Amino acid sequence: MAEFDLIVIGSGPGGYVAAIRASQLGQKVAIVERENLGGICLNWGCIPTKALLKSGEKYESLSHLKDYGLSADKVGFDFDAIIARSRGVAKQLNQGVGFLMKKNKIEVIEGDARLEKGGAAPKVVIKLKDGKSRNVEAKAVMLAVGARARALPQIGLEADDDKIWAYREALAPKKLPKSFVVIGSGAIGLEFASFYRALGSEVTVVEAVDRIMPVEDEEISKAAQKAFEKRGIKFKVGAKVTKVSKTASGVKVEIEVGGKAESLEAEVCISAVGITANTDGIGLEALGVELDRGHIKTDSHCLTNVKGLYAIGDCAGAPWLAHKASHEGIHAAEHIAGFKSPNVHSPIAGCTYTTPQVASVGVTEQAAKADKREVKVGRFPFKVNGKAIASGETEGFVKTIFDAKTGALIGAHMIGAEVTEMIQGYVTAITMEATEEDVMGTVYPHPTMSEAMHEAALDAYGRVIHI
């Protein structure tokens, strides 16, 4: 007889949330974690980076005090205190997850898990922290093992504690470097670029394709590069990194741009070239689990091709986002318990917490046209939004994309202050299959920056009011 109804391997935002939901549904649950409750996101990713970015944003805003009729003397920062605050935030939330596990009567097993053939689901063999081994069985097993920073040792791009950093090293450095080369212009690379630039470091971002933030709408990525350059961040786009090497004073990054060789030098290189799923060394091959480029293949209920084995979050493929992992985890837990659950393939928003912020959901204009979809596109700039003007946050705009035939909202893209909070309005609209009539017929409170969301929809149909 199985010891548990569900064993979750990995306690990140997908795993621990799935465990809680399963417990709520009357399941007996265990969660296996080899490092810290909360996983990478809470301890070394989403949360501590936002703490750093907030410190950088606050410090940078001090240089604009006179715009608000304010002044301050001896403005400065304590770098060690900034890092300590970030680590403290992560610790607080880590302890919060521990509390939630106890509250929901979820057994936490600390150790490394490996799968072996079992009955209703694979057997889980755990190497405990004290060196002993424990075998546990359940009616279902859920893999929420996440991913790690991708390394490219063939060109010397492999993180260490010294001069070549991935996200862990960039989150807890011993001192503030004066200069950086950041390889990769996705959310991780640009967020670190934004933070360190706010504190005065010289930052150059290298991107392999011909524009930064390549997953975003092209119009947004162009506006973002212009905004970041205004803050002093430099870019090398369409640049292939051929070699990264350490020097006496830092690092040397050799690149090719348009067939010409160039070299960049800095104190530190931050690698943000993607992730690798943590699917190696846990017994998947022996079980015959199907993979796709290192990620676990699943069906619409997050079930793998192996009976009783589910996979969610980063290890199960893109988008590699915490909220996607949580959504999948809840859906899978409900499916296991026989509870009717909403569609796991709901629209997932992407958020980048730079200055300015970028947020999006649904298709880009380029993708829609590539699919030969006739679209209506609307835009509205924050520079004519009353709340934005009053707040001194006029940079950026909102862009909406509607299907011209059905009127369905199919994409929304934003750049500006706090757009990562605003995007959820459009996520809800797309989830509920809203049309232009629904969005335009919604009353938006005044004065708010969200009024730009309304105006962008009006603009798509030639009804914009304030421009």
Side-chain angles (χ1 to χ4, degrees):
M1 183 176 177
E3 186 177 354
F4 297 95
D5 294 306
L6 172 64
I7 297 170
V8 180
I9 302 175
S11 71
Y16 87 76
V17 166
I20 291 172
R21 183 62 183 132
S23 178
Q24 289 175 344
L25 292 169
Q27 304 281 289
K28 185 180 180 183
V29 185
I31 193 163
V32 184
E33 175 54 57
R34 67 181 179 182
E35 193 172 356
N36 303 115
L37 286 173
I40 293 298
C41 175
L42 191 152
N43 294 281
W44 295 102
C46 320
I47 301 301
T49 55
K50 303 312 165 281
L52 293 182
L53 285 160
K54 179 55 70 173
S55 291
E57 178 189 323
K58 292 286 188 182
Y59 177 68
E60 200 168 25
S61 68
L62 295 176
S63 63
H64 305 293
L65 285 178
K66 66 179 182 180
D67 296 340
Y68 298 88
L70 305 172
S71 63
D73 296 325
K74 298 180 180 179
V75 172
F77 63 86
D78 182 333
F79 185 67
D80 291 340
I82 289 173
I83 299 300
R85 176 181 179 272
S86 172
R87 302 312 310 148
V89 168
K91 182 180 179 181
Q92 178 182 342
L93 290 174
N94 165 265
Q95 292 171 341
V97 174
F99 166 78
L100 290 171
M101 295 299 97
K102 290 180 181 177
K103 177 186 175 184
N104 289 279
K105 297 179 175 59
I106 297 162
E107 182 175 344
V108 177
I109 306 172
E110 296 183 347
D112 280 287
R114 182 178 177 82
L115 302 179
E116 295 183 358
K117 291 184 178 179
K123 181 170 65 176
V124 182
V125 179
I126 307 164
K127 184 178 179 182
L128 303 173
K129 291 289 182 74
D130 61 7
K132 295 179 181 179
S133 182
R134 177 180 173 184
N135 296 350
V136 288
E137 293 188 47
K139 296 175 184 176
V141 173
M142 188 184 301
L143 293 173
V145 293
R148 61 187 182 275
R150 183 183 176 206
L152 298 173
Q154 65 271 27
I155 61 169
L157 194 58
E158 198 163 18
D160 57 39
D161 290 328
D162 186 17
K163 299 173 181 177
I164 302 175
W165 296 352
Y167 54 82
R168 283 181 181 253
E169 294 79 17
L171 277 167
K174 298 177 179 66
K175 65 175 184 177
L176 174 63
K178 294 180 180 178
S179 57
F180 290 87
V181 171
V182 178
I183 302 178
S185 72
I188 294 174
L190 286 176
E191 285 180 2
F192 281 123
S194 189
F195 167 65
Y196 282 109
R197 180 58 193 153
L199 299 187
S201 298
E202 293 296 320
V203 180
T204 300
V205 177
V206 178
E207 173 54 55
V209 301
D210 60 359
R211 63 185 176 93
I212 70 168
M213 309 186 85
V215 301
E216 299 293 344
D217 185 90
E218 187 172 346
E219 208 171 341
I220 295 290
S221 71
K222 288 180 178 178
Q225 181 169 340
K226 185 177 180 180
F228 299 148
E229 287 176 336
K230 186 178 178 181
R231 293 181 60 215
I233 298 175
K234 300 174 183 176
F235 292 93
K236 292 286 185 179
V237 296
K240 177 184 177 183
V241 178
T242 57
K243 186 177 181 181
V244 179
S245 55
K246 295 183 182 181
T247 67
S249 58
V251 290
K252 181 179 181 181
V253 179
E254 297 176 48
I255 61 176
E256 285 183 4
V257 184
K260 295 182 179 180
E262 297 182 29
S263 64
L264 306 170
E265 294 194 21
E267 284 189 32
V268 168
C269 171
I270 295 180
S271 174
V273 293
I275 58 97
T276 299
N278 292 325
T279 53
D280 49 327
I282 58 174
L284 301 187
E285 298 83 359
L287 291 175
V289 176
E290 292 183 4
L291 302 178
D292 179 12
R293 289 168 290 182
H295 292 86
I296 301 168
K297 294 177 68 173
T298 63
D299 68 9
S300 60
H301 299 298
C302 305
L303 182 62
T304 72
N305 65 303
V306 173
K307 185 178 69 170
L309 181 63
Y310 292 73
I312 64 165
D314 288 358
C315 70
W320 300 287
L321 299 167
H323 43 290
K324 173 257 196 183
S326 298
H327 181 66
E328 287 182 339
I330 289 174
H331 177 87
E334 292 178 341
H335 183 260
I336 290 166
F339 184 87
K340 184 175 173 58
S341 184
N343 185 2
V344 74
H345 297 299
S346 298
I348 305 294
C351 297
T352 304
Y353 298 81
T354 46
T355 301
Q357 295 180 3
V358 173
S360 61
V361 64
V363 300
T364 64
E365 183 179 0
Q366 295 72 42
K369 289 181 177 178
D371 287 341
K372 295 182 169 50
R373 298 180 73 170
E374 186 181 347
V375 295
K376 287 185 177 291
V377 179
R379 302 168 185 82
F380 193 80
F382 286 119
K383 67 182 179 181
V384 291
N385 171 272
K387 176 66 179 297
I389 294 170
S391 302
E393 302 282 7
T394 57
E395 190 169 44
F397 62 94
V398 177
K399 178 176 181 177
T400 54
I401 302 169
F402 293 88
D403 185 294
K405 293 182 179 178
T406 66
L409 177 66
I410 59 174
H413 309 272
M414 307 178 181
I415 179 170
E418 299 303 328
V419 295
T420 56
E421 297 290 342
M422 294 164 57
I423 193 65
Q424 187 57 37
Y426 283 141
V427 175
T428 300
I430 294 177
T431 301
M432 298 182 70
E433 300 180 349
T435 67
E436 88 284 6
E437 290 184 354
D438 298 315
V439 180
M440 290 192 289
T442 299
V443 179
Y444 291 73
H446 175 80
T448 64
M449 293 183 72
S450 69
E451 288 176 279
M453 298 168 62
H454 189 215
E455 294 267 20
L458 292 170
D459 184 57
Y461 288 83
R463 295 169 53 181
V464 66
I465 300 296
H466 286 99
I467 52 174

